[in-house]
Amino acid sequence: MYAMMDQSREGRELMAIMLKSAYDIVLHWFRHERVRLHFLRMVSENLTGPEEKGTGVGLLMFLSFLEQYGIGVAVGGSGMLTKALIDCIEDHGGKVTANVSVERVLVKDGRAVGVRAAGGQEFMAKEAVIGALHPHVLPKFVPEMDPAAARAAQQTEITANCVLTIHAALNEPLKFKAGDHVGRAMMIELLPDRVDVLREHFDDLRYGRLPRHSLIGLGSASNLDPTRVPPGKAIMHAWDYVPYEHPDGGAARWDELKIPFAERMLEKMRAYIPNLTSANIIKYHCDSPLDMERTSPSFLRGDIHGVAPYLYQFGAHRPTPDLGQNTVPGVERLYLVGPFQHPGGGVFGAGRGTAMRMCSDLKIDFDKVVKGAK
Ligand SMILES: Cc1cc2nc3c(=O)[nH]c(=O)nc-3n(C[C@H](O)[C@H](O)[C@H](O)COP(=O)(O)OP(=O)(O)OC[C@H]3O[C@@H](n4cnc5c(N)ncnc54)[C@H](O)[C@@H]3O)c2cc1C
């Protein structure tokens, strides 16, 4: 890729953008503090500080992607997307079994042939096994994998920027000081007044400190999808960035300290949304980075994108060059999916890449399968 880019002026320019930080580029391209903040805040949504070298490419990806395609939101909530996928599998004769914890990928003659669940039950595969197995635990599931690839997988870096979220049921829709148009946005960022505040937030996270400022983002999906709530009511979700290890006693302390943190977030949000009062909040649920880890083994140490989006863990090198093709060296017919694979965390339909790779190995015409599904 780099050799190809190096062959033209445009390619070399793109290469430089990729290697620089978003901050380097925004400082060079834009003068206005608000414009700079707008771009830098969006880049940081990828769970990395905008001063990290290698975040420059995020400038070309995030905002342009959102401007071009918007944000897809499932009517009825994300669970409806899962339900639609299950319906599709079942419609094609497949079966989905939930609440089974897999402990081991079964390998015979260098090929994945099934999985063993906790309790010993085995599920045999006809053609292949697909796993959302985090690189840190992959060797535990597949001790047969190439030892050098296993070592590299276990050394992948997890982000320092975790998320604490609030999910609230509201008596009435949010009223924004800035005007009603704000509520029609899917993603709302409460920007600080200076770029330096944003920089300091990520500096604090780098040192494992509780940030001195807030970088709160929020959305109120019921403004766009009324099926989520009874008539007149509303929902809201909000997030801020925190370290996985609480400075006052480690990750386990979040169980006690997440509610006081959430209360402070709500207080700060009232400066922008006056009716976010306790009378308006029917009830809220709060998840700390520790809760995220409990939600899915993909979110180890609270990294909701699996592993950090550093340039060296990006593209075909995500999570490592060995695993970047969604396959596992040393074991055939074992395929990887998950936020730690390319293109990273997010509901992108990223399993498509794995499906393409599997189809190629199994001599199935991928384009024909996709056309048939339309
Ligand atoms: C709070 C939060 C907010 C987010 N916001 C956004 C957003 O606004 N937009 C966006 O695009 N993305 C967002 N994301 C990221 C997105 O949700 C994830 O990237 C996405 O869920 C990854 O999907 P996945 O199916 O690859 O992995 P997962 O959702 O992690 O699913 C993996 C599944 O495999 C199962 N599994 C793993 N190991 C085993 C095992 N050994 N045995 C049995 N089952 C196993 C897990 O239980 C889990 O069900 C957010 C994530 C969080 C947590």
Side-chain angles (χ1 to χ4, degrees):
M1 184 178 79
Y2 285 119
M4 278 178 74
M5 288 199 292
D6 211 11
Q7 289 170 26
S8 68
R9 179 167 293 281
E10 292 80 3
R12 288 188 292 274
E13 205 176 316
L14 184 59
M15 212 162 121
I17 288 174
M18 287 177 71
L19 295 170
K20 286 181 187 177
S21 75
Y23 179 72
D24 295 335
I25 300 166
V26 160
L27 227 56
H28 185 59
W29 283 355
F30 305 106
R31 278 216 197 103
H32 199 286
E33 192 81 348
R34 305 295 291 173
V35 176
R36 285 175 172 173
L37 269 164
H38 175 63
F39 280 96
L40 294 176
R41 180 64 187 91
M42 278 314 297
V43 170
S44 65
E45 278 296 350
N46 201 22
L47 305 183
T48 180
E51 280 184 87
E52 205 74 59
K53 297 285 177 192
T55 47
V57 70
L59 276 175
L60 306 184
M61 281 161 50
F62 272 90
L63 272 162
S64 44
F65 187 89
L66 294 181
E67 293 291 342
Q68 184 75 22
Y69 301 105
I71 300 182
V73 181
V75 172
S78 301
M80 288 299 148
L81 177 61
T82 308
K83 185 182 175 306
L85 290 168
I86 293 172
D87 287 350
C88 175
I89 290 169
E90 290 179 347
D91 192 48
H92 285 81
K95 192 177 160 200
V96 176
T97 307
N99 301 319
V100 175
S101 184
V102 169
E103 287 188 343
R104 176 80 161 88
V105 174
L106 301 172
V107 178
K108 195 171 171 215
D109 300 331
R111 180 174 163 163
V113 291
V115 296
R116 186 186 308 128
Q121 195 182 2
E122 294 188 349
F123 297 83
M124 302 316 287
K126 211 161 105 190
E127 299 286 358
V129 174
I130 310 169
L133 296 170
H134 193 282
H136 284 196
V137 299
L138 182 64
K140 189 183 80 167
F141 284 86
V142 203
E144 296 82 358
M145 73 182 282
D146 177 81
R151 267 196 306 280
Q154 283 166 326
Q155 283 164 11
T156 47
E157 268 188 278
I158 285 180
T159 187
N161 310 329
C162 293
V163 181
L164 186 139
T165 55
I166 297 173
H167 297 267
L170 306 175
N171 274 314
E172 63 170 22
L174 298 176
K175 293 187 182 124
F176 293 88
K177 257 191 195 168
D180 291 344
H181 64 285
V182 179
R184 291 195 292 276
M186 181 57 223
M187 201 166 167
I188 302 157
E189 308 277 7
L190 305 182
L191 291 180
D193 52 359
R194 291 174 299 115
V195 168
D196 282 358
V197 171
L198 186 126
R199 297 171 68 197
E200 284 162 4
H201 195 99
F202 289 100
D203 283 348
D204 285 338
L205 289 168
R206 190 178 289 130
Y207 288 94
R209 296 194 289 249
L210 219 49
R212 65 201 103 160
H213 309 293
S214 292
L215 280 181
I216 300 172
L218 73 140
S220 181
S222 49
N223 283 347
L224 304 158
D225 173 14
T227 70
R228 306 269 186 113
V229 287
K233 306 284 180 191
I235 50 170
M236 177 201 79
H237 63 281
W239 63 93
D240 199 355
Y241 300 113
V242 294
Y244 173 76
E245 302 281 354
H246 194 289
D248 180 12
R253 285 281 279 154
W254 274 120
D255 285 342
E256 282 164 73
L257 298 175
K258 66 180 181 178
I259 295 295
F261 188 94
E263 287 294 326
R264 282 195 300 278
M265 269 173 78
L266 291 167
E267 185 57 44
K268 286 174 187 167
M269 291 168 76
R270 268 174 219 130
Y272 302 80
I273 317 164
N275 74 334
L276 189 58
T277 56
S278 52
N280 190 13
I281 301 172
I282 300 168
K283 204 163 179 156
Y284 75 83
H285 171 90
C286 169
D287 279 326
S288 73
L290 184 63
D291 295 319
M292 309 279 172
E293 184 176 57
R294 289 170 178 146
T295 307
S296 168
S298 300
F299 305 148
L300 260 186
R301 287 185 67 83
D303 188 338
I304 62 173
H305 291 175
V307 295
Y310 300 140
L311 196 56
Y312 86 99
Q313 300 188 147
F314 181 78
H317 284 193
R318 186 170 180 85
T320 65
D322 298 304
L323 305 176
Q325 302 299 317
N326 300 322
T327 52
V328 180
V331 181
E332 281 177 25
R333 297 291 177 96
L334 175 57
Y335 297 91
L336 299 173
V337 287
F340 30 78
Q341 299 297 127
H342 177 74
V347 185
F348 299 129
R352 182 185 172 95
T354 307
M356 289 167 91
R357 177 60 200 247
M358 286 180 73
C359 283
S360 159
D361 289 355
L362 300 177
K363 310 270 179 285
I364 296 169
D365 185 338
F366 177 78
D367 292 329
K368 228 168 153 181
V369 174
V370 174
K371 274 193 200 114
K374 274 183 187 162

